[in-house]
Amino acid sequence: LETDFLYSDLSRLNGSMIGQLMDMYEKVEEPQVKEAVRRMLGYFGVACLALEEPLPAGYPAELAKLAEEERDLILDAGGVGVSPLFGYDVDYSLFKARGHYTRSEELGRYFRAMSWYGIMPMPFYNQDKTRDEQSAMGAIVASIALCRAPEEEGIRLWENIYSTTSFFVGDSDDITPCEIAAAVAKVYSDTPDMEKLPEGLDAFYQEVDQLRGPDIVHKVEGEVTQLQMRFMGQRYIPDSEILQELTEPDKRPFPSGLDVLAVFGSPRAEEVLEEFYRPESQWGGYRAAFERLCEKFRSQTIAQQTENLYRGWLYCLKSLTERVGDGYPLFMQSRAWEDKALSTALGSWSELRHDTILYGKQSATECGGNEPPEILGYVEPNPEFFNRLLWLTAVTRENLADKGLLNEKLQYKYEQFESMLGFLRDCAVKELGGEDLTAEEHMTILTYGGFLEYLSSSIAEADSWYLVESDTDKNMAVIADVHTSDGAYLEAGVGTAAEMYVAVSQYGRVYLTRGAVFDYYEFVSGERLTDEEWQEQVRQSAPERPPFTGSYMDGTVGEEIPVPAEPYSSGC
């Protein structure tokens, strides 16, 4: 979507904004307004350079110099520095392309330009709570320019980028230009006189003060945290609010992914936090903040928990960490299984953060072989998880199709995946009911790996997994920085798959089954890591795993993996 649709929309939108602002700059005479137009022209000039596009003819030379200085700081991504254009502190390390945005130069450019839109604020107040009228005027000017552009080159493009990414990740945590445009229309009319903008600032501030504030407020000295507009603001994601509220500078500067699962209702996550991390001993206010968050998130309706795909993914993961009772296999009632389930949920959560790192605010091959011997398969008997994932997949397909963003090939793959999820759910239901799976169902499980390889490689436009061009994408290890504290970063990631052995009952006998499980890592790093850097670290010397994994994880490596006396390959 980003490569085929959103990149070109972003380029056109930014060019349109520059065109409108250059026209304003030539015509406006009122000094305060002209300065606001100048700053906004510089703002969109930086995005132009981040996309590696030339500034248009007639672009003011002094602004071009400032935009180039900003561009250099963005490319360097060195850490906190003063913005040449706006004069306030900016954490330029956030512009380091990471996640899947390292896969091509085009995605890297898209990442930096969209990061500029999402990170740079237009605050309405200074930190001492006095008005920042110059910045407020910039927000007004940007919203007017957006509305004045031809609809197909302005507001329609903005809405397409915003609504598509909101469907995946959620709404902006900060005020959007559309909200400012509504306030401008109420105060100044639908066709405001640019020369008279300063005269209406008192009334404009009365309107702004009624707008929503952010839910995720960073606890960083010197950072702009007051009410503000961002042109394409980073999105509110519930886990970031949880991580934010459960940290305190100098006392508990780094949270854990376990905080998120505990707030969502995982009893084992709460026990692990108390057993190994003891957050209350670090910060006396932890318990009160934790209980306040539990009250907020555990009372949410299913509709609230699934209002976008990001939350829907989290909703799927919650079903992995619910404590099971009688009626479930004995292995699922064990402490080791609960800890494995935590690691699985955290591993998938780290992939979610990896895939949305730009937007979230911080934080077949054919299967052929000989006639198989008696090979039995088994599906983790958690039908609720497969049911939720089936729902999430269907919602994704339907919404992308409604937006015209789904071609026939991809729709077919969605439908195939939905069929497989329905199969896995049905197997899980049968196992919980004490029914044995049929020979046909065992054969489907046997070829399941080949089916997933086909889906993965074909989406990557390769005939087989070995033909996927990116070495990074052939490796499942991915990483995401989810929290920042004083120049250090909490990283959450998955390594390569670990072998899992489970004793299950089928046909009146107990079988030892083998499968794959996430290998989850969580640690503090001195730099924001890319997938390439993380994969090299995993190869050379992986960090220690979280302590709770010791209940089910044997850390030895290099041992011979046990195999059947007569091993069988499905050809997958």
Side-chain angles (χ1 to χ4, degrees):
L1 286 174
E2 290 165 330
T3 301
D4 295 345
F5 296 96
L6 302 184
Y7 187 98
S8 60
D9 283 358
L10 175 64
S11 176
R12 286 169 56 202
L13 174 62
N14 198 73
S16 180
M17 292 296 293
I18 290 177
Q20 290 296 317
L21 290 164
M22 287 184 66
D23 184 60
M24 287 181 183
Y25 194 62
E26 290 178 7
K27 296 176 179 178
V28 169
E29 295 182 359
E30 205 285 329
Q32 188 177 359
V33 179
K34 194 172 186 70
E35 174 59 19
V37 173
R38 189 188 77 87
R39 284 159 61 99
M40 287 300 96
L41 190 54
Y43 173 89
F44 289 98
V46 175
C48 182
L49 295 178
L51 290 169
E52 297 184 15
E53 296 175 354
L55 295 168
Y59 191 89
E62 76 281 3
L63 273 181
K65 184 176 183 300
L66 290 174
E68 289 166 357
E69 291 176 10
E70 288 280 8
R71 185 267 319 276
D72 292 344
L73 288 169
I74 288 171
L75 290 175
D76 185 57
V80 177
V82 178
S83 166
L85 189 61
F86 295 105
Y88 45 68
D89 287 348
V90 176
D91 185 356
Y92 286 97
S93 70
L94 288 166
F95 292 98
K96 180 180 179 180
R98 52 208 194 278
H100 67 265
Y101 299 96
T102 61
R103 306 305 193 265
S104 71
E105 292 183 2
E106 185 179 42
L107 281 171
R109 295 193 294 268
Y110 176 83
F111 178 91
R112 286 183 281 271
M114 280 292 285
S115 292
W116 178 257
Y117 278 180
I119 292 169
M120 300 303 289
M122 300 168 203
F124 300 106
Y125 290 95
N126 297 303
Q127 289 296 77
D128 60 5
K129 299 186 179 180
T130 58
R131 287 184 182 179
D132 188 342
E133 294 187 355
Q134 190 61 62
S135 178
M137 195 72 73
I140 293 171
V141 164
S143 68
I144 292 175
L146 180 62
C147 293
R148 283 189 177 179
E151 186 175 353
E152 295 295 331
E153 297 298 316
I155 195 68
R156 186 70 63 83
L157 285 174
W158 185 93
E159 176 61 29
N160 188 53
I161 298 170
Y162 181 78
S163 65
T164 301
T165 51
S166 292
F167 165 65
F168 279 99
V169 191
D171 292 329
S172 171
D173 195 42
D174 293 296
I175 298 168
T176 69
C178 288
E179 292 171 279
I180 296 303
V184 169
K186 188 176 290 189
V187 173
Y188 297 102
S189 83
D190 291 332
T191 56
D193 184 342
M194 299 292 291
E195 304 294 344
K196 296 182 179 180
L197 292 181
E199 298 174 15
L201 277 179
D202 288 342
F204 175 76
Y205 267 92
Q206 290 178 9
E207 292 295 325
V208 164
D209 289 340
Q210 298 178 47
L211 297 177
R212 60 190 176 89
D215 288 306
I216 303 169
V217 181
H218 295 166
K219 302 173 183 178
V220 179
E221 185 176 351
E223 182 173 326
V224 178
T225 58
Q226 303 300 323
L227 196 66
Q228 54 198 268
M229 185 192 93
R230 284 182 164 92
F231 190 69
M232 194 74 71
Q234 292 183 312
R235 313 310 164 85
Y236 168 81
I237 48 178
D239 43 317
S240 275
E241 182 182 2
I242 293 169
L243 296 178
Q244 183 67 62
E245 293 302 310
L246 294 182
T247 57
E248 183 66 18
D250 301 326
K251 296 178 181 178
R252 192 180 190 243
F254 289 102
S256 167
L258 289 162
D259 290 315
V260 176
L261 299 183
V263 167
F264 284 161
S266 166
R268 182 56 187 155
E270 195 168 348
E271 292 167 0
V272 169
L273 280 167
E274 179 59 32
E275 181 179 355
F276 294 105
Y277 296 83
R278 304 190 63 78
E280 292 180 68
S281 66
Q282 297 175 286
W283 172 38
Y286 178 88
R287 176 53 54 179
F290 178 82
E291 291 177 352
R292 185 172 64 252
L293 290 166
C294 288
E295 182 179 359
K296 174 178 180 177
F297 287 102
R298 295 184 190 180
S299 64
Q300 288 181 341
T301 65
I302 292 178
Q304 290 173 313
Q305 295 177 66
T306 58
E307 64 180 19
N308 56 58
L309 294 189
Y310 190 99
R311 292 194 182 197
W313 190 329
L314 292 174
Y315 179 68
C316 290
L317 298 183
K318 293 174 188 177
S319 65
L320 294 176
T321 61
E322 295 170 355
R323 183 162 279 165
V324 303
D326 295 341
Y328 283 82
L330 287 176
F331 69 82
M332 291 185 71
Q333 301 178 43
S334 68
R335 175 66 53 82
W337 186 265
E338 282 195 294
D339 290 345
K340 189 282 305 181
L342 284 183
S343 185
T344 296
L346 287 167
S348 189
W349 171 69
S350 68
E351 290 192 326
L352 174 60
R353 292 298 296 251
H354 169 273
D355 292 348
T356 58
I357 199 163
L358 171 57
Y359 304 105
K361 188 176 181 181
Q362 289 208 300
S363 82
T365 10
E366 288 186 2
C367 299
N370 300 321
E371 185 69 22
E374 182 186 340
I375 301 267
L376 300 183
Y378 195 79
V379 176
E380 179 176 334
N382 190 334
E384 181 62 18
F385 170 75
F386 294 116
N387 211 40
R388 293 185 186 189
L389 189 55
L390 174 58
W391 163 83
L392 184 68
T393 308
V395 167
T396 307
R397 172 179 52 77
E398 291 164 2
N399 278 268
L400 291 180
D402 289 344
K403 293 175 181 291
L405 300 174
L406 194 66
N407 59 40
E408 290 184 7
K409 288 183 178 180
L410 198 54
Q411 175 159 328
Y412 176 65
K413 291 164 189 171
Y414 265 104
E415 292 168 348
Q416 286 182 298
F417 188 51
E418 290 168 36
S419 177
M420 175 59 75
L421 290 170
F423 164 80
L424 295 172
R425 176 199 58 197
D426 295 344
C427 287
V429 169
K430 290 182 70 172
E431 291 167 347
L432 281 182
E435 292 184 60
D436 293 321
L437 301 182
T438 66
E440 183 180 359
E441 288 168 331
H442 283 299
M443 179 56 73
T444 301
I445 296 173
L446 184 66
T447 58
Y448 170 74
F451 169 75
L452 286 187
E453 179 186 343
Y454 154 69
L455 276 186
S456 302
S457 59
S458 63
I459 289 172
E461 299 183 345
D463 292 332
S464 74
W465 188 250
Y466 298 101
L467 296 179
V468 174
E469 291 185 2
S470 169
D471 288 337
T472 306
D473 284 333
K474 291 179 184 178
N475 191 320
M476 70 174 287
V478 295
I479 194 84
D481 46 283
V482 300
H483 181 78
T484 301
S485 179
D486 197 25
Y489 315 100
L490 181 66
E491 300 278 352
V494 294
T496 52
E499 294 280 349
M500 176 174 65
Y501 297 88
V502 182
V504 305
S505 176
Q506 291 193 84
Y507 300 104
R509 303 175 65 185
V510 176
Y511 290 84
L512 182 64
T513 61
R514 182 178 68 184
V517 65
F518 272 126
D519 196 3
Y520 176 72
Y521 293 88
E522 181 179 287
F523 58 94
V524 175
S525 170
E527 61 177 321
R528 302 185 194 273
L529 296 177
T530 64
D531 290 343
E532 291 80 2
E533 292 167 338
W534 169 236
Q535 290 174 9
E536 183 61 27
Q537 188 171 342
V538 170
R539 279 191 290 266
Q540 297 293 331
S541 179
E544 291 186 6
R545 299 178 178 90
F548 71 90
T549 62
S551 66
Y552 68 90
M553 176 71 77
D554 179 357
T556 59
V557 295
E559 297 292 325
E560 182 177 351
I561 299 174
V563 296
E566 297 181 5
Y568 169 77
S569 172
S570 67
C572 299

